[in-house]
Amino acid sequence: MTTDQETSMSVTETGATIWLTGLPSAGKTTIAYDLAGRLRGEGHRVEVLDGDEIREFLSAGLGFSREDRHTNVQRIGFVAALLAANGVKVLVPVIAPYADSRDAVRKRHQAEGTAYLEVHVATPVEVCSVRDVKGLYAKQAAGEISGLTGVDDPYEAPESPDLRIESHQQTVQESAAELYALLSERGAA
């Protein structure tokens, strides 16, 4: 092995979990994927743990009760912490409606010495219901579903997130740039 190969193999990347919380259709996933592209373009190892994909594979069978939502968030938090501890930037666009569930994930990261940032994508429910990316607000209004976070099920907005993004007042790229600036400031980009 040459010296250059040894050097490149010994360089470790700092991992971090960046949890984007907010209402359905707030823009969490769109911002996460935009930022992921930028980070990958710079050579970072990045994973996006999309809440919908996690529900389909890792949390299949869970419902939307408070207990099931907590279990889902803890599973995602465990995987995120594992990846982040191994040098991956983990973007987690997941509603995670309950503060205690998010706090438990933060504490897991702190206990393991892994960076964790909480980002509140603070899009008002009125804007989210117009975006209605998955048709959930329309289904709830028609009485087809109940338990929609922020409408007829609680959403506990973070009181002191590391960053609050007003995605309805800026472009996706501006939102992702704001988050990138925070990562740079914290030494994670």
Side-chain angles (χ1 to χ4, degrees), residues 6-144:
E6 290 171 4
T7 302
S8 68
M9 289 182 71
S10 67
V11 173
T12 57
E13 182 163 347
T14 303
T17 294
I18 302 94
W19 197 290
L20 294 93
T21 179
L23 296 173
S25 296
K28 302 175 299 296
T29 302
T30 306
I31 294 167
Y33 277 108
D34 190 272
L35 179 60
R38 179 174 182 174
L39 291 170
R40 285 187 184 115
E42 294 178 357
H44 296 278
R45 296 179 353 173
V46 180
E47 288 296 332
V48 177
L49 299 181
D50 183 303
D52 293 332
E53 291 175 1
I54 296 294
R55 277 244 174 225
E56 184 178 347
F57 299 106
L58 185 63
S59 294
L62 288 180
F64 292 91
S65 68
R66 183 179 177 94
E67 182 180 312
D68 282 356
R69 289 176 190 249
H70 178 77
T71 298
N72 184 49
V73 168
Q74 297 317 297
R75 287 178 182 177
I76 296 167
F78 173 79
V79 173
L82 183 66
L83 288 167
N86 285 283
V88 178
K89 307 281 190 279
V90 187
L91 302 171
V92 185
V94 173
I95 296 168
Y98 302 111
D100 61 341
S101 296
R102 295 189 307 266
D103 289 343
V105 172
R106 180 186 294 275
K107 287 177 184 169
R108 172 189 299 277
H109 281 74
Q110 289 172 339
E112 296 174 7
T114 306
Y116 177 90
L117 298 172
E118 183 178 70
V119 178
H120 180 207
V121 182
T123 308
V125 69
E126 300 80 21
V127 174
C128 294
S129 66
V130 170
R131 289 180 181 171
D132 204 9
V133 178
K134 299 172 199 153
L136 297 174
Y137 293 92
K139 288 180 182 176
Q140 191 277 335
E144 296 173 24

